[in-house]
Amino acid sequence: QVQLVESGGGLVQSGGSLRLSCAASGRIFSINGMGWYRQAPGKQRELVAAITSGGSTNYAAFVKGRFIISGDVAKNTVYLQMNSLKPEDTAVYYCNFKKRVSSGWSDSWGQGTQVTVSS
């Protein structure tokens, strides 16, 4: 089974930057979209940013102007450049690939990478 593997998380001071990467361990064909989600302790998982196979991007209001998503559906890779990080950005970040199937959508998830921003 194909797995998504994230990297790039870590500890950074407020105002710093990190770049997250996600790649599939095998090949996933016909991906319609890729994205990054995050989950802080005691909170629900939320969308951070997404990119479609056509290159359109969508950002949560709380990261607009600070984070940039990029990726290549053919190469099964997605990145998240995070700038001007704040302590409230502390969370486990998960990458997600979406694929349209006959019954709806098929989601693939990574195992998550911890991002901790100190004040």
Side-chain angles (χ1 to χ4, degrees), residues 6 20 34-50 58-64 66-67 69 80 82 86-96 98 109 113 115:
E6 299 115 335
L20 305 183
M34 303 181 291
W36 289 93
Y37 290 71
R38 72 185 188 186
Q39 188 168 17
K43 295 188 176 181
Q44 290 189 333
R45 191 173 297 189
E46 58 186 356
L47 176 68
V48 175
N58 180 42
Y59 294 93
F62 52 77
V63 301
K64 272 185 179 178
R66 300 189 297 125
F67 292 9
I69 188 170
L80 186 68
M82 304 187 294
K86 306 175 182 179
E88 51 263 44
D89 293 319
T90 295
V92 177
Y93 284 70
Y94 300 88
C95 68
N96 168 263
K98 287 193 182 295
W109 294 94
T113 185
V115 171

Side-chain angles (χ1 to χ4, degrees), residues 16-111:
S17 298
L18 284 174
R19 186 173 188 253
L20 305 183
S21 300
C22 174
S25 61
R27 188 72 188 273
I28 304 175
F29 294 93
S30 304
I31 295 172
N32 298 101
M34 303 181 291
W36 289 93
Y37 290 71
R38 72 185 188 186
Q39 188 168 17
K43 295 188 176 181
Q44 290 189 333
R45 191 173 297 189
E46 58 186 356
L47 176 68
V48 175
I51 184 168
T52 69
S53 56
S56 298
T57 57
N58 180 42
Y59 294 93
F62 52 77
V63 301
K64 272 185 179 178
R66 300 189 297 125
F67 292 9
I68 301 171
I69 188 170
S70 61
D72 187 327
V73 293
K75 295 181 179 179
N76 291 173
T77 55
V78 63
Y79 307 96
L80 186 68
Q81 177 66 42
M82 304 187 294
N83 302 319
S84 303
L85 283 161
K86 306 175 182 179
E88 51 263 44
D89 293 319
T90 295
V92 177
Y93 284 70
Y94 300 88
C95 68
N96 168 263
F97 286 6
K98 287 193 182 295
K99 179 176 178 177
R100 175 76 78 172
V101 295
S102 58
S103 57
W105 291 99
S106 173
D107 283 284
S108 298
W109 294 94
Q111 82 287 353

